[in-house]
Amino acid sequence: MWEYTDKVKEHFINPRNAGSIDDADAVGEVGSLACGDALKLFIKLDDSGRIKDARFKTFGCASAIASSSVLTEMLKGKTVEEASKITNRDIARELGGLPKEKMHCSVMGQQALEAALRNLQGLPPVVQDLEGEVVCECFGVTEEQIRKAILENRLDSADDVTHFTKAGGGCTDCLPEIERILDELKGQKPVPEKPSALKKPLTNLQRMQLVTKVIDEEIRPSLKKDGGDIDLIDIDKTKVLVALRGACSGCPSSQVTLKDFVEKKLKDRVDEGISVEEVDS
């Protein structure tokens, strides 16, 4: 049996941003119902070019739903350039990890995002050459996709390739070809991780304003969905003092909420140096 993190289970049971956007600025679609997984991602920008809304429709397992849900949460508020740096590893990391057998769900999220960003630029969808490039005919996986997965995720076995791409997970006829590609790529330098978006150092006032904005617009609404709430008590440079309210107060998982959600969200959106502490008030 696969072990799922609490965050994967939470996003599967209560997926965020499911549905479509009628006037979306970009749509990215990957997968196929015939292959078992499909994801359609919708993106809407605000006047400044930031992603103000992201929604999804997916057909797949719990990991596919959780990966799609958390991806839409990660996209909101980002510029297009920042969104383009999101990888499948970021998606899995945001969920606290995925079983290796389910990593292909995070890859599908990255591919849907790449397809949406191509659509935003007015570029046509990437069309696979079914005659010459497909290695796994059961799941329609191309050699290019396998090579990319191996290099980006440092894969070193055919089993890993199957976990990340599904190639080889059907009739297994393509396993020798996957082994050939692995042998060919051995010794090649892995693709470096995409650099984080550059951020200018924040002044204390800017940090305080951003912390307040993220708590009011992103953290508090999420907590209220589960009957909780949060109050910002004080900010001392990068130390943020808060009080949990409602269902969050006294909850056995309150410290998980505080560190894995509140602190992580503020680190991602405001300042990597931020720490969050709960105080009585």
Side-chain angles (χ1 to χ4, degrees):
M1 179 179 289
W2 295 310
E3 292 289 336
Y4 292 107
T5 66
D6 288 343
K7 196 164 184 179
V8 170
K9 289 184 277 191
E10 163 60 17
H11 274 271
F12 167 56
I13 295 170
N14 300 299
R16 281 68 151 171
N17 310 307
S20 59
I21 301 175
D22 291 338
D23 59 344
D25 292 306
V27 179
E29 189 168 10
V30 295
S32 163
L33 295 183
C35 297
D37 289 314
L39 169 60
K40 194 170 186 177
L41 180 67
F42 303 82
I43 290 176
K44 182 69 179 176
L45 304 181
D46 64 15
D47 292 339
S48 67
R50 287 186 178 274
I51 297 172
K52 74 174 183 180
D53 198 7
R55 294 182 179 274
F56 74 95
K57 288 184 174 181
T58 190
F59 178 87
C61 61
S63 297
I65 294 170
S67 294
S68 304
S69 173
V70 82
L71 172 61
T72 57
E73 293 275 280
M74 294 168 69
L75 288 173
K76 288 186 178 181
K78 281 187 168 55
T79 65
V80 171
E81 180 183 0
E82 290 168 344
S84 71
K85 300 182 188 302
I86 294 175
T87 67
N88 71 288
R89 296 184 300 283
D90 296 326
I91 296 170
R93 191 180 301 123
E94 187 73 14
L95 287 168
L98 282 171
K100 63 180 183 180
E101 294 85 355
K102 292 294 181 181
M103 283 300 293
H104 63 270
C105 297
S106 65
V107 174
M108 187 168 68
Q110 179 182 347
Q111 291 173 340
L113 175 59
E114 291 171 350
L117 297 181
R118 284 183 63 87
N119 180 240
L120 187 64
Q121 299 172 61
L123 299 174
V126 174
V127 179
Q128 298 173 2
D129 181 352
L130 295 178
E131 292 297 326
E133 296 182 5
V134 169
V135 172
C136 175
E137 297 198 4
C138 295
F139 295 106
V141 185
T142 66
E143 180 168 341
E144 181 180 345
Q145 289 173 314
I146 292 172
R147 287 176 177 274
K148 183 179 179 183
I150 291 171
L151 292 172
E152 288 189 350
N153 298 285
R154 299 164 172 79
L155 308 182
D156 58 10
S157 73
D159 281 346
D160 285 342
V161 172
T162 301
H163 297 328
F164 277 73
T165 68
K166 299 184 75 173
C171 69
T172 71
D173 283 354
C174 61
L175 287 178
E177 181 64 7
I178 293 173
E179 294 283 3
R180 182 194 67 76
I181 297 170
L182 279 164
D183 288 342
E184 185 180 320
L185 293 180
K186 279 181 181 175
Q188 281 199 18
K189 189 175 180 180
V191 174
E193 295 208 12
K194 296 178 181 179
S196 300
L198 296 177
K199 295 180 179 178
K200 295 179 180 178
L202 296 173
T203 65
N204 286 333
L205 179 60
Q206 288 173 326
R207 187 181 298 108
M208 292 172 64
Q209 291 173 331
L210 272 174
V211 167
T212 302
K213 183 174 186 292
V214 172
I215 287 179
D216 287 345
E217 296 182 0
E218 300 181 40
I219 294 175
R220 177 171 292 115
S222 292
L223 296 181
K224 283 189 172 181
K225 289 179 182 176
D226 297 323
D229 202 350
I230 188 171
D231 283 340
L232 176 61
I233 305 302
D234 198 3
I235 300 175
D236 180 10
K237 297 181 180 177
T238 56
K239 183 186 294 183
V240 178
L241 305 179
V242 301
L244 295 175
R245 308 294 191 196
C248 294
S249 178
C251 173
S253 301
S254 62
Q255 288 305 305
V256 176
T257 300
L258 203 66
K259 292 297 178 183
D260 290 0
F261 177 59
V262 179
E263 184 174 280
K264 188 172 190 317
K265 177 72 76 174
L266 292 176
K267 282 178 178 287
D268 289 345
R269 303 301 304 277
V270 181
D271 188 325
E272 291 182 352
I274 278 181
S275 63
V276 176
E277 295 182 12
E278 184 179 13
V279 295
D280 294 328
S281 177

